[in-house]
Amino acid sequence: MIRAPLLASLLVLGLTAVATAREATPASTADEPRLVAALFRSNWCGPCKVLEPRYEAVMADYAEAPLERVRFDSSFGRRSALARRAEEEGVSEVFEATAGATGFVLLVDRDTGDVLARISMAYSDADIRGALDHALRVIADREAFGL
């Protein structure tokens, strides 16, 4: 069953939630950052062509930040391979809930499945930085409180 915060986050984003089994143990390990920046894109996606250059330029400044970048490229219809990758990355619930949509980045707490931000083509460089900084602070606060 999907936890209420994840379901609420997905509904706010206009996504359909798909219930999947999830382990009770945290998805992140000492070697993996807890924050995942998941880019959902495809070659035929117009909004992707606007978002990606901005996103890539801003992400250059976050090379040392404790976050993992994951790219889900739907250009060639490899949905099952992408689903396996999402499971490996600990974001399978969020991946399934996107239902193949593209043109955005989700900032996800890997341990809880919470979507902390949805970055779209409407975001300026400053907005993208603000979303990343906010998500990094949320993760730091959660870890500080043992959550």
Side-chain angles (χ1 to χ4, degrees):
M1 184 111 197
I2 294 179
R3 287 177 292 285
L6 174 60
L7 181 58
S9 297
L10 293 173
L11 292 176
V12 166
L13 299 173
L15 302 173
T16 304
V18 176
T20 60
R22 187 170 169 98
E23 296 179 25
T25 58
S28 63
T29 66
D31 296 336
E32 295 179 315
R34 185 169 169 177
L35 181 61
V36 177
L39 170 64
F40 293 85
R41 59 117 25 233
S42 67
N43 289 339
W44 43 261
C45 169
C48 297
K49 293 175 184 357
V50 175
L51 172 62
E52 284 186 75
R54 287 185 202 150
Y55 173 70
E56 294 299 333
V58 169
M59 289 305 287
D61 295 336
Y62 288 82
E64 301 300 317
L67 65 92
E68 182 172 351
R69 295 173 64 179
V70 180
R71 183 181 176 113
F72 295 106
D73 190 334
S74 300
S75 299
F76 304 106
R78 306 171 316 223
R79 183 126 175 102
S80 60
L82 294 174
R84 283 191 302 278
R85 172 102 191 271
E87 187 170 337
E88 291 168 5
E89 299 296 342
V91 294
S92 59
E93 285 183 23
V94 172
F95 174 81
E96 290 301 324
T98 65
T102 60
F104 56 91
V105 175
L106 296 180
L107 302 180
V108 181
D109 180 335
R110 186 191 319 255
D111 287 359
T112 65
D114 292 341
V115 176
L116 303 176
R118 181 182 189 273
I119 299 170
S120 70
M121 71 176 200
Y123 277 52
S124 66
D125 290 8
D127 294 333
I128 295 170
R129 287 179 206 287
L132 287 164
D133 291 342
H134 173 74
L136 288 165
R137 279 192 308 273
V138 168
I139 295 296
D141 288 347
R142 288 178 176 183
E143 289 176 344
F145 286 104
L147 302 174

